[in-house]
Amino acid sequence: AVVSTQSTGGSAQQFFDAIGLQDPDQRISWEVDYPVSEDTFTPFLGSAVRVHNGVVESKFYRKGTRKDIALHHRSHHPLETKIQTARNFYSTAEQSSSSAELLEQSFEIVDRLLVANGYENPREFVKRRTPRKPTNKTETRVCLKLPYVSETVSCEIRKFIVRKSLPIDLVCTPGIKLRSVLCSSRPEDKPSCSRDVCKICRGLQAEEMEKKKVGEEEKKKKKKK
């Protein structure tokens, strides 16, 4: 098959059709997502790419059908996690952009995403600095894990640790969500009694052991027959 060397959608489709003809079962087929013009971007692995005046250009891309869902500003997470998540979005947009003009377009996509998730000024938000605690290599520190309640509570605990010069590293873990409590698919596989000594539980355990014993004896009788 003769394939045209001109950079057009028709020639690209002809090229892939020629490859498909090599399959004896005729099961290989492709649909080419070819740009209409040089100004049209083609999505590719989280980026939008085009060849403009012989130069490959790219920018950040999100599918139109993809919901604008990210870590919400009012979510049950520490402030440091939210800042780092927003920074990662801008970092990915910067790495995907090939020029200053396209970088601004990429940043605008991230701006819309973060604003939709409660961040009023996302570019100023990522510039916030979180306080770093001085570390002493010779000092033995203890890791204190507490469930995350709110940013105010976490800050007050950290201030108290710094004020008293305590060798403690505070780690706020995500608390138990209401969804996991009410919508658990396996609430209790093995229900247990809260009492240490319970006559009812002892009676049930003895009855269960007796059933197992009778079942094992019946299996032995069947094997002897």
Side-chain angles (χ1 to χ4, degrees):
V2 179
V3 181
S4 174
T5 57
Q6 295 180 354
S7 179
T8 62
S11 62
Q13 187 64 55
Q14 183 182 1
F15 174 76
F16 286 108
D17 290 342
I19 297 177
L21 292 175
Q22 306 302 316
D23 181 22
D25 298 327
Q26 300 296 316
R27 294 183 179 179
I28 300 178
S29 61
W30 288 279
E31 292 184 1
V32 180
D33 187 9
Y34 202 86
V36 179
S37 64
E38 285 191 355
D39 297 331
T40 305
F41 283 88
T42 302
F44 180 72
L45 298 178
S47 302
V49 185
R50 72 177 179 183
V51 180
H52 186 68
N53 296 329
V55 180
V56 179
E57 299 179 343
S58 62
K59 65 178 182 178
F60 185 64
Y61 172 77
R62 284 177 65 88
K63 290 183 178 179
T65 57
R66 190 172 181 179
K67 296 182 180 179
D68 291 336
I69 298 177
L71 186 63
H72 201 276
H73 187 265
R74 296 175 60 187
S75 65
H76 197 66
H77 291 81
L79 179 62
E80 295 86 348
T81 304
K82 299 172 186 176
I83 294 176
Q84 192 59 45
T85 301
R87 285 176 180 172
N88 289 340
F89 275 116
Y90 283 108
S91 177
T92 303
E94 184 176 2
Q95 294 174 5
S96 303
S97 304
S98 58
S99 64
E101 181 181 358
L102 296 176
L103 176 61
E104 182 60 28
Q105 296 180 16
S106 300
F107 279 0
E108 290 176 358
I109 297 175
V110 178
D111 290 342
R112 290 193 295 269
L113 172 64
L114 295 178
V115 169
N117 286 273
Y119 299 87
E120 295 183 0
N121 298 311
R123 300 196 192 186
E124 294 296 326
F125 177 77
V126 296
K127 295 179 182 179
R128 297 179 64 174
R129 294 184 178 181
T130 55
R132 293 186 178 182
K133 295 167 288 187
T135 57
N136 188 356
K137 296 182 180 180
T138 60
E139 183 181 23
T140 302
R141 302 185 67 84
V142 179
C143 179
L144 175 62
K145 291 185 179 181
L146 294 177
Y148 178 80
V149 178
S150 66
E151 192 62 32
T152 303
V153 174
S154 300
C155 288
E156 289 298 325
I157 296 175
R158 290 192 180 94
K159 288 179 182 178
F160 179 82
I161 293 173
V162 174
R163 187 165 60 250
K164 298 297 182 178
S165 301
L166 300 176
I168 296 175
D169 293 328
L170 178 64
V171 177
C172 295
T173 59
I176 300 176
K177 296 181 180 179
L178 188 62
R179 179 182 61 186
S180 62
V181 176
L182 300 179
C183 304
S184 177
S185 59
R186 302 174 67 182
E188 286 189 8
D189 290 343
K190 296 181 180 180
S192 58
C193 185
S194 59
R195 298 180 180 179
D196 296 333
V197 179
C198 181
K199 294 181 179 180
I200 298 175
C201 292
R202 285 186 176 182
L204 293 174
Q205 290 176 359
E207 184 179 350
E208 188 69 23
M209 292 295 294
E210 186 65 25
K211 288 182 180 179
K212 289 182 179 180
K213 185 177 179 181
V214 172
E216 291 176 358
E217 291 178 354
E218 290 181 354
K219 288 181 181 179
K220 291 179 181 180
K221 290 180 181 179
K222 290 180 180 179
K223 288 181 178 180
K224 289 180 180 180
K225 292 180 180 180

